[in-house]
């Protein structure tokens, strides 16, 4: 049979009808970025907007993948079609692959077939800086558009981008463990503000109650000044032992309760607006950085840069001239 390389609209249509391989191809193109990714975004946009987007973050080794594996198994058993995006910047081969192994997936079942199924994708972001901020929201849009719900994003809670990604979800879950000073770390990383619920995982280990107490105290302090307190919502703290299958049901109940809270307080649209704003800002910043690079390498731009490098003009002056170049018609460079 002649091999026909399918166009993006063909792949999208196939993914919508439940073909896993087509969805996998689309996600690869999403990771690659550029015009192909933009086209996918525009195709998926009208069909997206239904899924509950759940961000899960925490230190490496906190048990996020173990917990997500448990949640996915529970969700499929309950007839849902969850998708997971596991973002692991350090290694494309660990987090996501391990997560995939943990979840028994029924390849025959496809969303739309009436049979529940899950789709797990690990996203490698090593190599292209800022790629994560662009690829994650788009991958989520694709999952949503082809019928997966909920869409779970697992990220390592270290950098600002990770915090932004999780903070832009409908429901942000922060996973902590005993004995690692996680509560203090989370506070420093700005995770306390974005968390809608906390999971103290590895509750089978000593010190789990200390983590809960520390968190409670910090929440007391932050909620005296926090804005969320206006709606009467306080992030619950759920104890879990994901490895032993304990607590994942409680975690999901709390995730759903948070979604109910968003709906009742008319906050879901607020989250969505924030999410879109975060994505547009990330895309704009990326585009501006590329434009800055182009301006510095352009003929006119490099002359200003040379003068600054020779200390003939101040860097501020060169920058303002380069800004003119950047904002002018590219034909003129
Ligand atoms: N004792 C204990 N170990 C756990 C628990 N959950 C996960 N682990 C272990 O912690 C390690 C890291 O788990 P993983 O899910 O890969 O963490 P991630 O890096 O946050 O995704 C693995 O060896 C797990 O088996 C738990 O509830 N109790
Ligand atoms: Mg993991």
């Amino acid at each position: 049979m002649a091999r026909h390389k399918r166009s993006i609209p063909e792949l999208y249509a196939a993914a919508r009808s439940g073909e896993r391989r087509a969805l996998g191809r689309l996600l690869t193109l999403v990771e690659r970025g550029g015009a192909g990714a933009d086209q996918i975004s525009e195709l998926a946009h009208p069909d997206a907007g239904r899924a509950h987007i759940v961000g899960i973050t925490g230190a490496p080794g906190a048990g996020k993948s173990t917990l997500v594996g448990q949640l996915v198994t529970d969700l499929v058993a309950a007839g849902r079609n969850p998708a997971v995006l596991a973002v692991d910047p350090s290694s494309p081969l660990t987090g996501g692959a391990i997560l995939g192994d943990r979840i028994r997936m029924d390849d025959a079942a496809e969303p739309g077939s009436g049979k529940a199924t899950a789709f797990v994708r690990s996203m490698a972001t090593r190599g292209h800086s800022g790629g994560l901020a662009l690829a994650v929201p788009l991958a989520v849009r694709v999952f949503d558009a082809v019928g997966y719900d909920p869409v779970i994003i697992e990220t390592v809670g270290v950098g600002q981008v990770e915090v932004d990604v999780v903070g832009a979800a409908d429901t942000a879950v922060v996973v902590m463990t005993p004995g690692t000073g996680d509560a203090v770390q989370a506070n420093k990383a700005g995770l306390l503000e974005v968390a809608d619920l906390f999971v103290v995982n590895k509750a089978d280990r000593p010190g789990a109650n200390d983590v809960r107490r520390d968190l409670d105290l910090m929440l007391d302090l932050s909620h005296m000044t926090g804005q969320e307190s206006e709606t009467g919502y306080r992030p619950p703290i759920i104890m879990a032992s994901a490895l032993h299958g304990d607590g994942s049901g409680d975690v999901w109940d709390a995730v759903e309760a948070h979604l109910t809270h968003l709906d009742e307080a008319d906050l879901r649209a607020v989250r969505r607006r924030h999410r879109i704003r975060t994505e547009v800002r990330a895309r704009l910043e990326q585009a501006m950085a590329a434009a800055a690079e182009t301006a510095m390498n352009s003929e006119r731009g490099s002359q200003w840069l040379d003068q600054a490098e020779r200390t003939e003009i101040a860097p501020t002056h060169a920058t303002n001239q380069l800004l003119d170049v950047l904002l002018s018609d590219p034909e003129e460079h």
Side-chain angles (χ1 to χ4, degrees):
M1 199 178 99
R3 298 249 291 189
H4 159 66
K5 194 167 180 294
R6 289 184 286 182
S7 69
I8 285 175
E10 285 169 332
L11 285 170
Y12 181 68
R16 282 267 288 166
S17 71
E19 193 204 304
R20 304 179 73 94
R21 209 159 49 92
L23 175 55
R25 276 290 299 150
L26 286 176
L27 294 168
T28 302
L29 293 171
V30 162
E31 275 185 275
R32 203 168 288 164
D38 287 357
Q39 192 186 353
I40 294 167
S41 176
E42 273 136 57
L43 280 168
H45 172 71
D47 300 322
R50 276 182 290 264
H52 180 189
I53 302 167
V54 181
I56 299 192
T57 195
K64 298 179 295 298
S65 296
T66 310
L67 176 65
V68 170
Q70 194 67 46
L71 291 175
V72 165
T73 306
D74 297 349
L75 284 162
V76 170
R80 303 282 301 268
N81 294 302
V84 178
L85 191 60
V87 183
D88 192 335
S90 58
S91 163
L93 293 175
T94 53
I98 291 171
L99 181 58
D101 292 344
R102 283 198 183 112
I103 300 164
R104 278 199 306 124
M105 271 175 294
D106 184 353
D107 273 324
E110 296 173 340
S113 69
K115 211 173 158 199
T117 187
F119 195 104
V120 177
R121 173 76 176 207
S122 144
M123 190 162 270
T125 53
R126 196 164 49 175
H128 48 120
S129 69
L132 192 145
L134 273 50
V136 170
L138 182 44
V140 168
R141 181 168 308 124
V142 172
F143 279 134
D144 180 356
V146 305
Y148 287 94
D149 179 25
V151 179
I152 301 173
I153 311 162
E154 177 193 332
T155 72
V156 176
V158 279
Q160 187 57 47
V161 175
E162 283 83 355
V163 174
D164 287 349
V165 161
V166 169
D170 293 314
T171 303
V173 180
V174 174
V175 182
M176 316 207 161
T177 49
T180 47
D182 270 3
V184 176
Q185 293 301 329
N187 194 11
K188 280 192 198 144
L191 285 174
L192 235 45
E193 284 96 274
V194 300
D196 297 306
L197 66 107
F198 293 94
V199 176
V200 178
N201 191 39
K202 308 196 186 185
D204 51 290
R205 292 201 177 159
N209 281 319
D210 297 339
V211 181
R212 180 211 273 271
R213 192 204 50 220
D214 290 351
L215 262 177
D216 244 332
L217 286 171
M218 280 190 229
L219 286 175
D220 283 343
L221 291 173
S222 70
H223 279 258
M224 276 181 240
T225 50
Q227 41 174 215
E228 197 102 72
S229 57
E230 283 166 27
T231 67
Y233 183 87
R234 180 188 170 102
I237 304 168
I238 315 294
M239 309 302 274
S241 182
L243 186 61
H244 306 102
D246 293 336
S248 62
D250 295 339
V251 171
W252 195 255
D253 286 347
V255 167
E256 299 248 290
H258 176 257
L259 188 67
T260 303
H261 157 73
L262 285 186
D263 285 336
E264 284 173 359
D266 262 339
L267 287 172
R268 207 167 170 182
V270 175
R271 288 286 168 121
R272 188 187 305 128
R273 277 206 295 277
H274 171 68
R275 181 156 63 237
I276 291 167
R277 226 187 149 76
T278 303
E279 180 181 351
V280 170
R281 180 180 290 114
R283 291 189 182 283
L284 207 52
E285 283 174 358
Q286 191 102 332
M288 293 306 281
E293 206 54 50
T294 304
M296 289 194 357
N297 290 313
S298 72
E299 204 182 315
R300 216 147 58 82
S302 55
Q303 285 166 7
W304 290 112
L305 195 58
D306 278 346
Q307 287 187 48
E309 283 171 359
R310 289 197 300 267
T311 68
E312 291 165 14
I313 57 171
T316 40
H317 184 98
T319 308
N320 286 327
Q321 296 300 330
L322 276 157
L323 263 178
D324 282 345
V325 175
L326 191 148
L327 298 172
S328 69
D329 187 343
E331 302 291 305
E332 291 170 19
H333 291 184

